[in-house]
Amino acid sequence: MASSSTNTNTGKTKILPDSTDDDEHTEVEDMEEDEDEDLEHFDDFTLASSWERFISEIEAVCRLWMSDGPKNLMVKGAVLLEYSGNLYKVTSETKYALKTYCMEYYFETNPSDDAGKPANWNLDLHDLQLCFGVKEFLVIAPQSASGVVLDAPEASKLLSAVAIALSNCSSLWPAFVPVHDPSRKAYIGIQSMGTVFTRRFEADRIGSQVPIKLMHLEGLYELFVSKFAYSTLDLSVHNFKVRIAMKLTFRTLPFDEDYMKDFDSKINKSEENLTGETSSGTQWDDDCSWSEWYSAEDPVKGFELITIWSEKMVESSMEMAELENASPHEAEKWLISLRLEGSKESRVGFASQLHLLVDALQMSFEAHFIEDFVSAENPGSDNLKSSMVIPSPAVRDRVLKELFIEGVQFSDFTDGGYKTSRSVKGAPLESLFAQFCLHSLWFGNCNIRAISVLWIEFVREVRWCWEESQPLPRMAPNGSIDLSTSLIYQKLQMLAICIERKCQMNEDYQDCIGSIDHIDSMTEEESVVGDDLLSIQTPSEIFPGKVDRKPEDMDLYKDKKSSNFTRRGSAGIVDSMMLLKSYQSMHAPYTQEPPLMTEDMHEERMQAVEAIGDSFNFSAQLEKDILTSDMSAFKAANPDAIFEDFIRWHSPGDWEADDDPESSGSASSNALEINKSKDSWPPRGKLSKRMSEHGNMWRKIWSSSPALPASEQKPLLDPNREGEKVLHYLETLRPHQLLEQMVSTAFRAAADTLSQTSYGELKQMETKIQQLYPTMASALRPLQVNRLSADSETIEDFRRLCVVFERVEKLLTVAASLHRKLIRAPRLSREIFNDYYNFYIPTMGTSLIEEVVEKEFDKKQEVRNHEREVLSNMFVPPTANQSWRKVLSMGNLLNGHEPILREIIFSLHDRVSGNHYAARSGSVSQEIETYRMYICGTSNDLRVALSVVSCD
């Protein structure tokens, strides 16, 4: 640590260097004791030249940096370099001769003996560290547009000033000055070795006029040898070994159409396609889930492969020639890096179209009816027509044909996919409405006019299916109404069921007419025999309770001529239960299914019940139609039944049985238990208080219910009425109500589509997709309230959701591309994606504008030996259609590919001694790099950096 002494008379601080030398320590003490002598001989800077003041300023800054040390410099604001995790920089400005210079000090936080050793090809090294093998260093450059010193005398004078300042500080930092044109990356530098030796640095670039000899390793080796063969150092030209390290960088060709064809054929030849899919398409994403809607630009533009030969000893140019012919597969280490798309243009995908759909939602509040957006009478129609284009009728017809294609079966994707998809109130991916929303994203670039035109034609097609009794495509014709979905989807569910029921009614009617004609043609004897068969029902299995299904082969008119037929609509015996007033087993009737209701029908019915008041029991009022139907069916199946029998079957909780071990309380259905129940006849018990009170509504309904089987009852669901109500809803839907449901469904359908993408075992990607659904559900929840407006802040929340969706979509595209290209190296694919994920995830905020990331992704992964063949296959031989120029070969070819960059380090080491800072009692001998030459470039663009240790 530097020490300081202050003169109390002048206030001037003199900084003294640290020293472990006893003699120097004594000199410091003598200087402190003799203050008067210091006062008489202090430097008068008023008489000093500008050159001396410049050196003094540099010296002061360097002393300050040395005094602070790395830790304090980091506290004071040292900047971490982007490409390095260990190299920091501090800066200071100084002036000389009307020019301002910037001085930069680069240092590491955890220096060690081998830190920054270039032979290790540390990927975090600064350019000057790699070129000259230094660890910490100083750079001084002018504050100008070029940032270099163009005048050679000025550069030498500037470097001399820094060297003198560092010498005064007893600093061993190497100092560099950038010279010549900035594109040449030329430097001159100097470093005191702390001995009688000084190291000098020089770097420059040879342009397009590179001698042919320097294009090959043999010629470069001879160039290096010529630098020290006749030096003053005691080295024998014929007895030395040069250390050499080499790094080659290969780059795959652009992943265009021709490349992907060759790449696919090469993989298929090497081994079977592990995905079981064939790549017959010409686009990279033909087998991806989103390819039905758009073709994404491949984010992975290629790979850079770095092959490294670590330090080895070479004694002759012949050995260099052999190394030039060596295959990259012989390199000790392989590293791979990803080349991503560099364009900043907006990408076309689900996210971009969802953003347009949100804009359409905001505009949908400007009109009351869908037709207003396509009608000339609309006040804003001129503005709409000028800015929004409606596709041609041919395009519209093609979309409708795809939507209403015949024979398409409905399949609910969420049953087998991400179950969190149901948290978003939309429609299943394969349903008709979800497909309409996805088509709308691309129809007319998703503007409000195009959506309105498509919706009107969509509803017309739906009405045609209804009127012609044609099945509604992409909708299940049976089942229950899913109230967790959007209302439009529920309405289309209802309509699909109504169409199916209407078709069944028409078929039943035709069957009934045919049965009547058949009965009229029967003889009286045949008719009696048929009635006897119907009156004796012995089902093959005993039904345990209420049966909600229609009887098969039930003829409604066969009992017209038979007085013996009394039981109708029986589905079988109910366990061991028997009727209270007759010696007969109880039969379960076929009953109608409960009436189907959509979400708005439930709300209307509840509002109606609330309007009636408390005089009616809510549950009885809500189920009155169902109770009437069930009681009529029960009476038809059990002609001798009473009200208590129905309660025992329909609502066992309202029948209080006596605690009699002899009573028929067994639930077994075997013959022994039935006989035992008959022996304990009649069963004993009573109705509950609720059912036995005076004026009970259930009893009133029982009294008024006729004995009719389910097949003869009026349907609880009138398909004609309910179908027309659905169509009325679709035809009169307000624009904003349509767009609100479209936004919610489109987000869900787009996420469901993307989640089907095959991207391998990438846990981060799977987690990100799973997190997307709750994020969408939370952001889209206001759409369920129907309280939005054009200027609502919720619209901005939807736009933020589009940005989040876009970032997940971008991650997924990278993951899919990596998985496809590295399918035979899954570990490598995972590691590269993990690096990219950690690089990209900090930018995934919720702002409306995506942050521009200046830093490029350049993380490198080491390739294991068994993965080298996979990487090698990516370097397919160039074709005639690809832009690839033939150059003079530098050797080390990989499947016909030359390295795009070759880096070589030649070095010569020697042991030196004589450190004049060491104690006089002995000397220190150490091995130093006396000669070093770093060569970087291609066969027509060569950069050479040379450092030489010489004796002053």
Side-chain angles (χ1 to χ4, degrees):
M1 181 73 71
S3 61
S4 63
S5 62
T6 304
N7 189 314
T8 57
N9 294 329
T10 64
K12 176 177 177 62
T13 301
K14 186 168 184 179
I15 302 175
L16 303 177
D18 289 340
S19 175
T20 58
D21 197 319
D22 295 335
D23 294 339
E24 291 186 13
H25 186 66
T26 303
E27 293 176 5
V28 172
E29 291 178 350
D30 293 339
M31 292 173 65
E32 291 178 346
E33 291 175 359
D34 195 2
E35 236 180 65
D36 294 337
E37 186 177 350
D38 285 339
L39 290 172
E40 294 177 1
H41 297 89
F42 73 93
D43 294 331
D44 186 359
F45 284 101
T46 61
L47 302 178
S49 66
S50 60
W51 167 255
E52 292 172 321
R53 287 196 297 270
F54 180 55
I55 295 175
S56 177
E57 290 177 3
I58 295 176
E59 179 182 346
V61 174
C62 292
R63 288 183 182 274
L64 181 62
W65 286 342
M66 294 174 64
S67 175
D68 285 336
K71 292 185 179 180
N72 290 332
L73 289 177
M74 291 173 61
V75 174
K76 291 183 177 181
V79 179
L80 175 66
L81 300 187
E82 291 183 352
Y83 56 83
S84 174
N86 188 36
L87 189 64
Y88 288 80
K89 177 182 73 173
V90 290
T91 60
S92 178
E93 292 184 3
T94 184
K95 290 186 177 180
Y96 171 66
L98 302 179
K99 287 187 177 182
T100 303
Y101 294 92
C102 178
M103 191 162 57
E104 299 175 334
Y105 169 51
Y106 294 81
F107 63 93
E108 296 179 348
T109 56
N110 54 345
S112 59
D113 294 338
D114 59 347
K117 187 178 180 182
N120 292 333
W121 296 112
N122 189 341
L123 301 176
D124 295 336
L125 290 179
H126 187 275
D127 189 47
L128 292 178
Q129 289 179 310
L130 186 61
C131 288
F132 301 113
V134 297
K135 183 167 55 179
E136 53 183 356
F137 55 94
L138 202 68
V139 177
I140 186 167
Q143 290 277 50
S144 60
S146 63
V148 299
V149 181
L150 300 178
D151 184 56
E154 179 188 356
S156 299
K157 189 175 183 179
L158 185 61
L159 187 62
S160 298
V162 177
I164 294 172
L166 291 175
S167 177
N168 293 341
C169 298
S170 299
S171 172
L172 303 182
W173 295 344
F176 298 95
V177 175
V179 294
H180 304 305
D181 186 81
S183 62
R184 292 169 63 173
K185 294 184 180 181
Y187 288 89
I188 59 174
I190 191 171
Q191 179 187 16
S192 173
M193 303 294 293
T195 64
V196 295
F197 297 104
T198 300
R199 175 180 288 176
R200 299 184 182 276
F201 308 97
E202 185 176 0
D204 203 352
R205 169 172 286 171
I206 304 175
S208 57
Q209 297 178 353
V210 179
I212 297 178
K213 186 177 182 180
L214 298 182
M215 296 178 183
H216 303 281
L217 296 182
E218 185 177 358
L220 294 173
Y221 173 80
E222 293 176 357
L223 173 66
F224 177 68
V225 172
S226 66
K227 295 296 181 181
F228 62 82
Y230 303 102
S231 65
T232 58
L233 292 176
D234 186 16
L235 295 173
S236 173
V237 179
H238 304 289
N239 187 20
F240 63 88
K241 292 184 179 181
V242 176
R243 298 182 184 182
I244 180 173
M246 184 170 65
K247 182 173 77 171
L248 303 177
T249 302
F250 298 87
R251 180 176 294 175
T252 60
L253 296 174
F255 289 159
D256 57 9
E257 177 179 337
D258 294 331
Y259 177 88
M260 293 309 299
K261 286 181 179 179
D262 296 337
F263 175 68
D264 291 337
S265 62
K266 192 167 186 178
I267 288 183
N268 293 332
K269 288 180 180 179
S270 61
E271 65 174 52
E272 295 181 358
N273 194 344
L274 300 184
T275 60
E277 301 175 353
T278 57
S279 301
S280 58
T282 58
Q283 298 295 331
W284 77 273
D285 59 348
D286 279 349
D287 55 350
C288 295
S289 58
W290 63 77
S291 60
E292 180 183 357
W293 305 103
Y294 66 93
S295 179
E297 183 180 0
D298 192 348
V300 180
K301 296 304 180 184
F303 293 93
E304 281 191 357
L305 175 64
I306 298 176
T307 60
I308 297 176
W309 280 263
S310 61
E311 197 172 79
K312 62 183 300 184
M313 308 303 292
V314 178
E315 298 184 8
S316 65
S317 58
M318 293 296 295
E319 295 184 28
M320 295 299 299
E322 293 178 1
L323 182 60
E324 186 171 4
N325 294 326
S327 169
H329 289 274
E330 300 176 10
E332 297 181 13
K333 182 183 292 187
W334 277 26
L335 299 174
I336 186 174
S337 62
L338 196 62
R339 291 194 299 117
L340 297 172
E341 59 178 337
S343 62
K344 302 298 182 181
E345 299 179 0
S346 59
R347 294 176 293 272
V348 176
F350 281 126
S352 63
Q353 304 309 113
L354 288 171
H355 198 285
L356 297 176
L357 186 62
V358 172
D359 293 340
L361 169 62
Q362 186 176 24
M363 193 170 292
S364 65
F365 293 92
E366 297 181 4
H368 294 286
F369 303 101
I370 296 291
E371 292 77 9
D372 292 343
F373 287 106
V374 295
S375 174
E377 288 76 15
N378 183 29
S381 60
D382 294 338
N383 183 32
L384 290 174
K385 289 183 179 179
S386 62
S387 59
M388 301 180 182
V389 179
I390 300 176
S392 64
V395 176
R396 181 194 62 201
D397 293 341
R398 177 180 57 80
V399 172
L400 292 174
K401 185 177 181 180
E402 291 180 3
L403 286 172
F404 290 88
I405 187 171
E406 297 180 2
V408 176
Q409 299 295 327
F410 172 79
S411 60
D412 190 350
F413 166 72
T414 56
D415 289 341
Y418 285 92
K419 296 188 180 300
T420 52
S421 173
R422 292 187 178 274
S423 62
V424 182
K425 194 175 178 63
L429 175 62
E430 300 298 332
S431 65
L432 182 59
F433 183 58
Q435 292 296 306
F436 169 82
C437 293
L438 291 179
H439 277 283
S440 299
L441 293 178
W442 312 100
F443 186 75
N445 206 22
C446 198
N447 65 76
I448 186 62
R449 294 188 68 223
I451 293 174
S452 301
V453 170
L454 187 61
W455 174 255
I456 292 173
E457 296 299 325
F458 175 82
V459 175
R460 287 177 182 172
E461 290 293 327
V462 171
R463 175 168 282 281
W464 181 88
C465 292
W466 165 252
E467 292 177 350
E468 299 296 328
S469 298
Q470 295 296 318
L472 203 58
R474 306 179 188 274
M475 297 300 299
N478 46 40
S480 59
I481 303 297
D482 188 355
L483 300 180
S484 66
T485 58
S486 64
L487 185 56
I488 293 179
Y489 174 74
Q490 296 178 37
K491 292 293 185 181
L492 292 175
Q493 262 190 311
M494 175 70 79
L495 186 63
I497 295 173
C498 289
I499 293 175
E500 180 68 17
R501 298 282 178 89
K502 188 169 71 169
C503 292
Q504 290 179 357
M505 290 176 60
N506 292 337
E507 292 175 1
D508 292 342
Y509 177 76
Q510 296 298 330
D511 292 342
C512 291
I513 297 300
S515 299
I516 292 174
D517 295 339
H518 177 66
I519 291 175
D520 292 340
S521 63
M522 292 173 60
T523 62
E524 184 176 352
E525 181 179 356
E526 292 172 341
S527 178
V528 173
V529 172
D531 291 341
D532 291 339
L533 292 175
L534 284 174
S535 62
I536 304 174
Q537 298 186 14
T538 55
S540 59
E541 56 181 285
I542 301 175
F543 294 85
K546 187 176 180 181
V547 181
D548 296 333
R549 54 181 177 174
K550 185 177 178 181
E552 299 177 359
D553 300 328
M554 179 64 70
D555 198 327
L556 304 182
Y557 301 97
K558 287 187 178 181
D559 61 324
K560 286 188 175 183
K561 298 183 180 181
S562 173
S563 59
N564 295 328
F565 180 81
T566 55
R567 190 185 307 280
R568 294 180 297 168
S570 171
I573 297 174
V574 181
D575 295 337
S576 59
M577 296 181 67
M578 302 183 68
L579 301 178
L580 295 176
K581 298 299 183 181
S582 65
Y583 198 72
Q584 296 182 12
S585 298
M586 182 183 294
H587 285 249
Y590 287 106
T591 58
Q592 294 193 62
E593 295 179 357
L596 299 175
M597 289 186 292
T598 57
E599 185 177 3
D600 60 333
M601 295 171 63
H602 278 284
E603 294 177 357
E604 291 176 0
R605 192 159 187 174
M606 291 181 65
Q607 292 174 1
V609 171
E610 291 176 359
I612 293 175
D614 298 333
S615 58
F616 293 93
N617 181 276
F618 175 77
S619 60
Q621 175 67 26
L622 191 62
E623 298 183 357
K624 181 178 179 180
D625 294 340
I626 301 176
L627 278 175
T628 302
S629 174
D630 290 349
M631 289 179 179
S632 296
F634 187 81
K635 283 184 176 181
N638 302 278
D640 298 328
I642 59 176
F643 178 66
E644 286 77 2
D645 293 322
F646 176 77
I647 294 299
R648 291 167 60 213
W649 169 71
H650 189 276
S651 181
D654 288 311
W655 175 256
E656 299 175 356
D658 293 342
D659 297 333
D660 187 355
E662 300 294 333
S663 63
S664 57
S666 176
S668 177
S669 60
N670 55 51
L672 181 61
E673 293 296 331
I674 293 177
N675 294 333
K676 184 177 180 181
S677 298
K678 291 181 179 180
D679 295 338
S680 59
W681 183 260
R684 286 186 283 257
K686 61 180 180 179
L687 293 173
S688 65
K689 182 179 180 181
R690 181 173 75 98
M691 290 297 173
S692 59
E693 63 184 5
H694 180 71
N696 180 267
M697 180 176 293
W698 283 46
R699 188 177 291 275
K700 290 181 179 180
I701 297 175
W702 173 265
S703 302
S704 60
S705 298
L708 287 176
S711 57
E712 298 183 22
Q713 295 175 11
K714 180 181 178 180
L716 294 175
L717 175 68
D718 187 345
N720 292 303
R721 183 184 67 233
E722 297 301 332
E724 288 295 338
K725 288 172 63 177
V726 168
L727 289 169
H728 176 75
Y729 169 82
L730 298 177
E731 292 170 344
T732 59
L733 192 62
R734 294 292 181 91
H736 71 90
Q737 293 175 341
L738 170 64
L739 268 297
E740 287 171 1
Q741 297 184 59
M742 286 183 63
V743 167
S744 183
T745 300
F747 268 102
R748 171 176 168 174
D752 285 346
T753 301
L754 291 179
S755 61
Q756 296 181 70
T757 303
S758 176
Y759 49 79
E761 299 178 359
L762 301 178
K763 294 183 179 179
Q764 294 94 332
M765 193 69 253
E766 183 176 358
T767 301
K768 209 65 187 176
I769 292 179
Q770 289 178 343
Q771 292 174 348
L772 179 61
Y773 286 103
T775 303
M776 291 191 303
S778 176
L780 299 173
R781 190 167 289 115
L783 293 176
Q784 305 176 21
V785 185
N786 292 330
R787 295 180 181 176
L788 294 182
S789 60
D791 56 349
S792 174
E793 294 182 359
T794 309
I795 301 294
E796 296 303 313
D797 293 337
F798 296 158
R799 293 195 172 100
R800 292 187 182 92
L801 181 61
C802 291
V803 176
V804 174
F805 195 99
E806 179 180 4
R807 289 164 180 167
V808 176
E809 189 174 17
K810 180 179 179 180
L811 275 176
L812 185 66
T813 308
V814 174
S817 181
L818 280 174
H819 174 65
R820 185 174 185 273
K821 294 174 177 61
L822 298 174
I823 191 171
R824 295 191 295 128
R827 184 207 66 86
L828 197 57
S829 176
R830 286 195 304 269
E831 296 300 327
I832 294 177
F833 181 79
N834 291 345
D835 292 337
Y836 177 74
Y837 182 87
N838 296 329
F839 164 81
Y840 184 72
I841 201 67
T843 67
M844 296 182 64
T846 57
S847 62
L848 295 178
I849 302 176
E850 185 173 3
E851 295 85 349
V852 178
V853 182
E854 298 293 341
K855 182 180 178 181
E856 295 184 357
F857 176 70
D858 58 355
K859 186 73 174 180
K860 296 173 176 60
Q861 275 292 331
E862 185 171 355
V863 182
R864 296 178 181 175
N865 290 333
H866 69 277
E867 297 168 336
R868 291 191 177 188
E869 186 63 27
V870 179
L871 270 297
S872 178
N873 288 335
M874 291 185 178
F875 291 87
V876 297
T879 61
N881 295 331
Q882 293 166 332
S883 57
W884 183 67
R885 57 189 180 88
K886 195 73 175 176
V887 297
L888 294 176
S889 174
M890 295 188 298
N892 304 117
L893 299 182
L894 178 61
N895 293 342
H897 290 256
E898 289 186 353
I900 63 166
L901 186 66
R902 180 174 61 185
E903 298 172 77
I904 307 170
I905 297 176
F906 295 100
S907 60
L908 190 67
H909 291 68
D910 190 25
R911 303 196 68 84
V912 297
S913 60
N915 189 331
H916 62 267
Y917 290 118
R920 291 192 178 94
S921 58
S923 60
V924 178
S925 177
Q926 60 177 339
E927 184 180 65
I928 65 173
E929 201 175 51
T930 55
Y931 281 84
R932 172 189 174 87
M933 186 170 69
Y934 170 79
I935 298 174
C936 173
T938 61
S939 58
N940 61 348
D941 187 9
L942 203 63
R943 183 185 176 201
V944 180
L946 181 66
S947 64
V948 180
V949 175
S950 60
C951 180
D952 290 337

mmCIF file of all heavy atoms in Angstrom, residues 108-125:
data_model
loop_
_atom_site.group_PDB
_atom_site.id
_atom_site.type_symbol
_atom_site.label_atom_id
_atom_site.label_comp_id
_atom_site.label_asym_id
_atom_site.label_seq_id
_atom_site.Cartn_x
_atom_site.Cartn_y
_atom_site.Cartn_z
ATOM 1 N N GLU A 108 -8.835 -7.802 -12.610
ATOM 2 C CA GLU A 108 -9.656 -8.965 -12.255
ATOM 3 C C GLU A 108 -9.858 -8.999 -10.752
ATOM 4 O O GLU A 108 -9.019 -8.515 -9.972
ATOM 5 C CB GLU A 108 -8.994 -10.256 -12.739
ATOM 6 C CG GLU A 108 -8.877 -10.355 -14.247
ATOM 7 C CD GLU A 108 -8.194 -11.638 -14.683
ATOM 8 O OE1 GLU A 108 -7.626 -12.324 -13.823
ATOM 9 O OE2 GLU A 108 -8.228 -11.941 -15.890
ATOM 10 N N THR A 109 -10.958 -9.605 -10.329
ATOM 11 C CA THR A 109 -11.283 -9.648 -8.900
ATOM 12 C C THR A 109 -10.625 -10.802 -8.189
ATOM 13 O O THR A 109 -10.428 -10.747 -6.982
ATOM 14 C CB THR A 109 -12.808 -9.746 -8.718
ATOM 15 O OG1 THR A 109 -13.290 -10.892 -9.432
ATOM 16 C CG2 THR A 109 -13.491 -8.499 -9.237
ATOM 17 N N ASN A 110 -10.341 -11.870 -8.898
ATOM 18 C CA ASN A 110 -9.701 -13.021 -8.254
ATOM 19 C C ASN A 110 -8.449 -13.420 -9.029
ATOM 20 O O ASN A 110 -8.400 -14.472 -9.663
ATOM 21 C CB ASN A 110 -10.670 -14.200 -8.159
ATOM 22 C CG ASN A 110 -11.254 -14.551 -9.504
ATOM 23 O OD1 ASN A 110 -11.161 -13.780 -10.448
ATOM 24 N ND2 ASN A 110 -11.843 -15.728 -9.598
ATOM 25 N N PRO A 111 -7.453 -12.557 -9.019
ATOM 26 C CA PRO A 111 -6.243 -12.881 -9.789
ATOM 27 C C PRO A 111 -5.525 -14.084 -9.209
ATOM 28 O O PRO A 111 -5.521 -14.320 -8.011
ATOM 29 C CB PRO A 111 -5.390 -11.611 -9.646
ATOM 30 C CG PRO A 111 -5.862 -10.988 -8.377
ATOM 31 C CD PRO A 111 -7.314 -11.315 -8.274
ATOM 32 N N SER A 112 -4.935 -14.854 -10.072
ATOM 33 C CA SER A 112 -4.148 -16.018 -9.675
ATOM 34 C C SER A 112 -2.974 -16.143 -10.627
ATOM 35 O O SER A 112 -2.840 -15.375 -11.584
ATOM 36 C CB SER A 112 -4.999 -17.291 -9.687
ATOM 37 O OG SER A 112 -5.530 -17.505 -10.970
ATOM 38 N N ASP A 113 -2.142 -17.099 -10.380
ATOM 39 C CA ASP A 113 -0.933 -17.232 -11.187
ATOM 40 C C ASP A 113 -1.231 -17.488 -12.655
ATOM 41 O O ASP A 113 -0.517 -17.031 -13.540
ATOM 42 C CB ASP A 113 -0.061 -18.360 -10.633
ATOM 43 C CG ASP A 113 0.478 -18.010 -9.243
ATOM 44 O OD1 ASP A 113 0.524 -16.807 -8.934
ATOM 45 O OD2 ASP A 113 0.824 -18.944 -8.496
ATOM 46 N N ASP A 114 -2.277 -18.274 -12.917
ATOM 47 C CA ASP A 114 -2.576 -18.615 -14.303
ATOM 48 C C ASP A 114 -3.804 -17.887 -14.836
ATOM 49 O O ASP A 114 -4.338 -18.243 -15.867
ATOM 50 C CB ASP A 114 -2.789 -20.122 -14.442
ATOM 51 C CG ASP A 114 -3.933 -20.620 -13.572
ATOM 52 O OD1 ASP A 114 -4.383 -19.855 -12.708
ATOM 53 O OD2 ASP A 114 -4.352 -21.768 -13.768
ATOM 54 N N ALA A 115 -4.309 -16.888 -14.076
ATOM 55 C CA ALA A 115 -5.479 -16.152 -14.553
ATOM 56 C C ALA A 115 -5.119 -15.402 -15.822
ATOM 57 O O ALA A 115 -4.103 -14.727 -15.911
ATOM 58 C CB ALA A 115 -5.962 -15.186 -13.483
ATOM 59 N N GLY A 116 -5.944 -15.518 -16.818
ATOM 60 C CA GLY A 116 -5.710 -14.845 -18.081
ATOM 61 C C GLY A 116 -4.708 -15.528 -18.965
ATOM 62 O O GLY A 116 -4.274 -14.972 -19.963
ATOM 63 N N LYS A 117 -4.318 -16.732 -18.623
ATOM 64 C CA LYS A 117 -3.362 -17.457 -19.454
ATOM 65 C C LYS A 117 -4.000 -17.774 -20.793
ATOM 66 O O LYS A 117 -4.970 -18.515 -20.878
ATOM 67 C CB LYS A 117 -2.937 -18.741 -18.755
ATOM 68 C CG LYS A 117 -1.816 -19.473 -19.474
ATOM 69 C CD LYS A 117 -1.397 -20.703 -18.711
ATOM 70 C CE LYS A 117 -0.271 -21.442 -19.408
ATOM 71 N NZ LYS A 117 0.117 -22.665 -18.689
ATOM 72 N N PRO A 118 -3.524 -17.235 -21.898
ATOM 73 C CA PRO A 118 -4.212 -17.359 -23.177
ATOM 74 C C PRO A 118 -4.207 -18.763 -23.739
ATOM 75 O O PRO A 118 -5.072 -19.119 -24.519
ATOM 76 C CB PRO A 118 -3.464 -16.391 -24.089
ATOM 77 C CG PRO A 118 -2.112 -16.273 -23.475
ATOM 78 C CD PRO A 118 -2.300 -16.407 -22.004
ATOM 79 N N ALA A 119 -3.213 -19.577 -23.346
ATOM 80 C CA ALA A 119 -3.176 -20.920 -23.905
ATOM 81 C C ALA A 119 -4.393 -21.730 -23.499
ATOM 82 O O ALA A 119 -4.719 -22.726 -24.131
ATOM 83 C CB ALA A 119 -1.906 -21.629 -23.452
ATOM 84 N N ASN A 120 -5.071 -21.312 -22.414
ATOM 85 C CA ASN A 120 -6.271 -22.014 -21.982
ATOM 86 C C ASN A 120 -7.499 -21.605 -22.799
ATOM 87 O O ASN A 120 -8.576 -22.165 -22.622
ATOM 88 C CB ASN A 120 -6.538 -21.729 -20.496
ATOM 89 C CG ASN A 120 -5.496 -22.354 -19.599
ATOM 90 O OD1 ASN A 120 -4.883 -23.354 -19.962
ATOM 91 N ND2 ASN A 120 -5.269 -21.752 -18.450
ATOM 92 N N TRP A 121 -7.345 -20.599 -23.637
ATOM 93 C CA TRP A 121 -8.445 -20.099 -24.463
ATOM 94 C C TRP A 121 -9.664 -19.783 -23.610
ATOM 95 O O TRP A 121 -10.777 -20.206 -23.901
ATOM 96 C CB TRP A 121 -8.822 -21.093 -25.555
ATOM 97 C CG TRP A 121 -7.742 -21.344 -26.544
ATOM 98 C CD1 TRP A 121 -7.053 -22.503 -26.705
ATOM 99 C CD2 TRP A 121 -7.210 -20.421 -27.488
ATOM 100 N NE1 TRP A 121 -6.120 -22.369 -27.691
ATOM 101 C CE2 TRP A 121 -6.188 -21.098 -28.206
ATOM 102 C CE3 TRP A 121 -7.474 -19.100 -27.810
ATOM 103 C CZ2 TRP A 121 -5.454 -20.499 -29.208
ATOM 104 C CZ3 TRP A 121 -6.744 -18.501 -28.810
ATOM 105 C CH2 TRP A 121 -5.752 -19.189 -29.504
ATOM 106 N N ASN A 122 -9.416 -19.042 -22.537
ATOM 107 C CA ASN A 122 -10.523 -18.606 -21.688
ATOM 108 C C ASN A 122 -11.449 -17.719 -22.513
ATOM 109 O O ASN A 122 -11.020 -16.705 -23.080
ATOM 110 C CB ASN A 122 -9.972 -17.835 -20.481
ATOM 111 C CG ASN A 122 -11.054 -17.543 -19.458
ATOM 112 O OD1 ASN A 122 -12.225 -17.588 -19.763
ATOM 113 N ND2 ASN A 122 -10.620 -17.252 -18.242
ATOM 114 N N LEU A 123 -12.716 -18.080 -22.579
ATOM 115 C CA LEU A 123 -13.659 -17.368 -23.438
ATOM 116 C C LEU A 123 -14.053 -16.009 -22.878
ATOM 117 O O LEU A 123 -14.698 -15.230 -23.560
ATOM 118 C CB LEU A 123 -14.908 -18.226 -23.654
ATOM 119 C CG LEU A 123 -14.649 -19.586 -24.305
ATOM 120 C CD1 LEU A 123 -15.940 -20.379 -24.383
ATOM 121 C CD2 LEU A 123 -14.040 -19.423 -25.682
ATOM 122 N N ASP A 124 -13.683 -15.736 -21.608
ATOM 123 C CA ASP A 124 -14.027 -14.457 -20.998
ATOM 124 C C ASP A 124 -12.893 -13.441 -21.081
ATOM 125 O O ASP A 124 -12.974 -12.377 -20.486
ATOM 126 C CB ASP A 124 -14.401 -14.666 -19.516
ATOM 127 C CG ASP A 124 -15.667 -15.489 -19.374
ATOM 128 O OD1 ASP A 124 -16.463 -15.487 -20.323
ATOM 129 O OD2 ASP A 124 -15.841 -16.120 -18.320
ATOM 130 N N LEU A 125 -11.830 -13.769 -21.817
ATOM 131 C CA LEU A 125 -10.675 -12.880 -21.875
ATOM 132 C C LEU A 125 -10.957 -11.655 -22.731
ATOM 133 O O LEU A 125 -11.687 -11.705 -23.727
ATOM 134 C CB LEU A 125 -9.472 -13.626 -22.443
ATOM 135 C CG LEU A 125 -8.835 -14.702 -21.566
ATOM 136 C CD1 LEU A 125 -7.687 -15.359 -22.294
ATOM 137 C CD2 LEU A 125 -8.372 -14.120 -20.247
#
